[in-house]
Amino acid sequence: MDTPKLIDIEQVSDGWIKKYILTYRMPDGSTHPYEVASRKKIEDYRALLEANAAGEAPRGADAACIVARTPNDSLVMIREFRYPLNSWCIAFPAGLIDPGEDVLACADRELREETGYAVVEGSTLRMLPQAGYSSTGMSDEAVQVIFVEAEKVAEAHTEPNEIIEVFELPIADVRRFLDENKLPIGTRAQLLLEALA
């Protein structure tokens, strides 16, 4: 199978999220521009694309998604107002990994910030074998899913622009919740909940 070849990367906007136009040479010799979004600087994004093409992509993650189970067999869930959808959305707690931060440290930090829950010290932690991409047709964001045991330790302390409501979802009620939920839900949360149902 012939693979398109990346021949140019142009950054067309800057900011927290950057927009790039990738130009590919197609197997028939034509060129094809493709718009993408990334949080990475152009040098880092170019390195990732080159590593992917060579089959040497790093297995790191940009963010962590925390599937936290409480002692009473419930999941720690959030309703978060998501600006791109202009709506409350159902999700698992999640957040960006700080530079140099371990993914497990990120999971505990984000869980505390968004929900007031914390990873139970000495509990079993499990991660999916590799980070998954949020939207391979639009972005390079890789998210590591982490399963933890958690308990309520404090009140949440979110950023002023993060509007989050925390709730516990009993695992026994996941099927009913999915069948009755009317709010937007991300594919990652939906699939994880379906697996638990």
Side-chain angles (χ1 to χ4, degrees), residues 66-86:
I66 306 102
V67 182
R69 189 177 193 148
T70 66
N72 65 349
D73 227 19
S74 292
L75 300 169
V76 179
M77 303 291 300
I78 61 172
R79 285 180 199 88
E80 183 172 9
F81 186 83
R82 287 305 209 173
Y83 299 97
L85 299 179
N86 192 35

Side-chain angles (χ1 to χ4, degrees), residues 71-144:
N72 65 349
D73 227 19
S74 292
L75 300 169
V76 179
M77 303 291 300
I78 61 172
R79 285 180 199 88
E80 183 172 9
F81 186 83
R82 287 305 209 173
Y83 299 97
L85 299 179
N86 192 35
S87 176
W88 289 92
C89 298
I90 300 298
F92 286 100
L96 295 174
I97 299 169
D98 290 338
E101 184 178 37
D102 174 81
V103 68
L104 297 175
C106 172
D108 188 58
R109 176 182 55 76
E110 286 291 343
L111 195 58
R112 287 173 187 267
E113 288 175 7
E114 291 189 357
T115 69
Y117 287 74
V119 174
V120 174
E121 193 170 325
S123 66
T124 304
L125 303 173
R126 191 168 57 82
M127 290 192 292
L128 292 182
Q130 73 181 70
Y133 289 93
S134 295
S135 178
T136 58
M138 185 180 75
S139 173
D140 66 328
E141 180 183 67
V143 180
Q144 181 64 62

Side-chain angles (χ1 to χ4, degrees), residues 29-197:
S30 65
T31 58
H32 176 67
Y34 198 91
E35 297 178 15
V36 298
S38 177
R39 290 188 186 95
K40 293 176 180 65
K41 295 177 183 173
I42 192 165
E43 307 82 28
D44 297 330
Y45 186 51
R46 182 184 310 277
L48 173 71
L49 294 177
E50 290 171 358
N52 281 344
E56 303 167 355
R59 289 194 169 262
D62 301 304
C65 171
I66 306 102
V67 182
R69 189 177 193 148
T70 66
N72 65 349
D73 227 19
S74 292
L75 300 169
V76 179
M77 303 291 300
I78 61 172
R79 285 180 199 88
E80 183 172 9
F81 186 83
R82 287 305 209 173
Y83 299 97
L85 299 179
N86 192 35
S87 176
W88 289 92
C89 298
I90 300 298
F92 286 100
L96 295 174
I97 299 169
D98 290 338
E101 184 178 37
D102 174 81
V103 68
L104 297 175
C106 172
D108 188 58
R109 176 182 55 76
E110 286 291 343
L111 195 58
R112 287 173 187 267
E113 288 175 7
E114 291 189 357
T115 69
Y117 287 74
V119 174
V120 174
E121 193 170 325
S123 66
T124 304
L125 303 173
R126 191 168 57 82
M127 290 192 292
L128 292 182
Q130 73 181 70
Y133 289 93
S134 295
S135 178
T136 58
M138 185 180 75
S139 173
D140 66 328
E141 180 183 67
V143 180
Q144 181 64 62
V145 176
I146 302 168
F147 296 85
V148 302
E149 294 172 32
E151 61 188 357
K152 184 80 168 169
V153 296
E155 293 304 313
H157 54 283
T158 58
E159 298 291 326
N161 63 342
E162 288 181 309
I163 314 298
I164 295 175
E165 293 178 355
V166 181
F167 67 100
E168 285 191 17
L169 174 59
I171 292 174
D173 290 344
V174 169
R175 171 82 279 135
R176 179 195 54 77
F177 177 81
L178 286 169
D179 290 344
E180 295 175 3
N181 176 55
K182 301 293 185 216
L183 292 174
I185 184 170
T187 302
R188 181 174 50 247
Q190 190 174 36
L191 291 174
L192 287 165
L193 288 173
E194 282 290 345
L196 292 167

